[in-house]
Amino acid sequence: MAQLSDDCFAHGGRLMSRDEALALLAERVTRVTDDQPLPLPECLGHILSEDIISPIAVPRHDNSAVDGYAVFFDDLDPEHETRLPIAGRAAAGHPLKGPARRGQAIRIFTGALMPEGPDTVMMQEDCRLEGEQVIIQPGIKRGANRRLAGEDIAEGSTVLHAGRRLRPQDIGQAAAVGRTVLTVSKALRVALFSTGDELREPGSALDAGSIYDSNRFTLGALLRAAGCKVSDLGILRDERGKLESALAEAAETHDLIVTSGGISVGEEDHVKQAVEAHGRLHAWRLAIKPGRPIALGQVGGIPFVGLPGNPAAVVVTFLNIVRPLVLRLMGGSELSPHYFQVTAGFSHKKKKNRREWVRARLEPAGDGSWLAQKFPREGAGILSSLVESDGLIELPEDLTLLEPGRKVSFLPFSEVLS
Ligand code: AMP
Ligand code: MG
């Protein structure tokens, strides 16, 4: 397994934009996982670690794109109907035996090998039958309705590149070139825990001042959706000794440690000291809202990410920093999700020089486009705002006042949570 350099998260402590943070990750973080062969049906969501090169042309041979009649174009009268005898039959998987002859039509079905000779296929809807003869309307082009060998995939071409996160159609593509097993990255083994003396397990009793731990469940689901294998290490008390031993132990059997809570400068926040006892920790002061600070470092040679405790900040920092990081650690090449342009249906003031994400719901604008509405309660601690949102609007650093009607970038949760 590859090792990261031990200062890969160092950065000098200055305030960083999201883009700088991503560039730094792209430059310093490399894949740490090993390869594994996996049967094709199990490959969905895994990151491919080989280029898939097709040993064959797809389709292998010319074939018909429709149900109809295979003919020689030069037999057709360009001005009038043409009448041809039907002299044979070719269906998918059942090619015509022998070549076809000039002056004859061959009954053919979609996917059937083109008989030797004919170059054009008439759609049956455009033909009339009289006994054993087919009557063809004028007006078709030479080569119509014929699929050419290799028009989908040329022999020797790369159909899927290493680093791709496999989608259902990618699995089908691998099957179409004959593969049964693919080499993919092993899932990143992530140790996950929450910190805070106020946290309780859902299902247990809540005493005064305590809350249920929700971040661990949000983060566990986010990490699994990104293709990780998650070990749930529970809630750790704000107690340095326990944190230290839990971190050291987790580092032995995982590729990444993710925590939430306990990283601000409050005196109850012991995560920083615990990490530093076994490695290095760098507070990344990100010019983003919600979300700063986040802590990146290493414990026992594996990367560590400490996220803020506030539930909405957890999701925003995960999507912007942790998700790209985990994909990178597994050799992923597509780190940034697609944003889409929508129209803002609200006004919003923001500070200059920081990037902000606003939780928003989409509603139809009436002209087929979408209007984004801000969720009214904006605090970084408000998880229900995420539940009721469709995604995040990203507001750039230089913007200070968003006015209704302006186009904004929108990240649908569906882009990143599946
Ligand atoms: P902290 O970063 O530890 O100062 O926590 C910031 C806020 O997030 C506090 O209100 C915490 O109670 C809350 N918080 C921290 N961890 C969690 C968690 N695992 N689930 C829900 N809320 C949390
Ligand atoms: Mg705390």
Side-chain angles (χ1 to χ4, degrees), residues 80-95:
H80 307 97
E81 286 184 352
T82 306
R83 180 179 285 264
L84 296 171
I86 302 166
R89 190 173 192 279
H94 303 277

Side-chain angles (χ1 to χ4, degrees), residues 69-301:
Y69 299 88
V71 296
F72 291 81
F73 180 79
D74 290 332
D75 286 343
L76 304 180
D77 185 327
E79 310 289 331
H80 307 97
E81 286 184 352
T82 306
R83 180 179 285 264
L84 296 171
I86 302 166
R89 190 173 192 279
H94 303 277
L96 185 75
K97 290 186 184 69
R101 295 217 183 82
R102 284 296 300 262
Q104 294 181 337
I106 301 297
R107 180 68 169 128
I108 197 165
F109 298 92
T110 308
L113 188 72
M114 275 303 279
E116 197 187 321
D119 53 2
T120 301
V121 181
M122 284 300 304
M123 255 169 98
Q124 63 187 25
E125 291 84 343
D126 299 333
C127 299
R128 228 166 56 241
L129 281 181
E130 272 177 23
E132 291 302 294
Q133 296 195 320
V134 59
I135 294 140
I136 294 167
Q137 302 299 317
I140 193 157
K141 287 201 187 107
R142 185 190 295 275
N145 300 318
R146 170 185 182 163
R147 297 178 186 148
L148 299 177
E151 73 174 24
D152 186 350
I153 294 161
E155 183 182 326
S157 63
T158 303
V159 293
L160 297 168
H161 289 270
R164 185 181 186 88
R165 185 133 192 254
L166 294 165
R167 303 176 299 165
Q169 56 269 50
D170 304 327
I171 309 281
Q173 181 74 94
V177 304
R179 295 293 296 262
T180 58
V181 173
L182 303 182
T183 308
V184 299
S185 165
K186 281 192 173 162
L188 196 72
R189 298 165 303 166
V190 183
L192 173 64
F193 59 84
S194 297
T195 73
D197 287 347
E198 77 282 27
L199 302 179
R200 299 288 177 271
E201 278 301 331
S204 64
L206 279 183
D207 42 334
S210 61
I211 58 170
Y212 288 128
D213 177 3
S214 61
N215 288 346
R216 216 170 81 238
F217 296 86
T218 312
L219 278 170
L222 284 165
L223 287 161
R224 287 184 194 98
C228 300
K229 185 164 176 276
V230 179
S231 309
D232 185 335
L233 302 187
I235 300 165
L236 298 184
R237 300 286 143 226
D238 283 325
E239 196 184 303
R240 187 169 154 192
K242 288 231 173 83
L243 282 168
E244 268 184 41
S245 55
L247 286 169
E249 206 178 308
E252 284 171 21
T253 48
H254 293 89
D255 308 309
L256 171 69
I257 299 174
V258 176
T259 70
S260 73
I263 51 151
S264 43
V265 283
E267 51 186 49
E268 293 302 316
D269 292 331
H270 299 293
V271 174
K272 185 172 188 299
Q273 290 156 354
V275 172
E276 281 175 340
H278 296 286
R280 295 168 179 232
L281 192 69
H282 309 281
W284 281 26
R285 292 172 54 233
L286 297 172
I288 65 174
K289 184 192 173 187
R292 54 187 282 208
I294 99 167
L296 281 105
Q298 293 188 55
V299 174

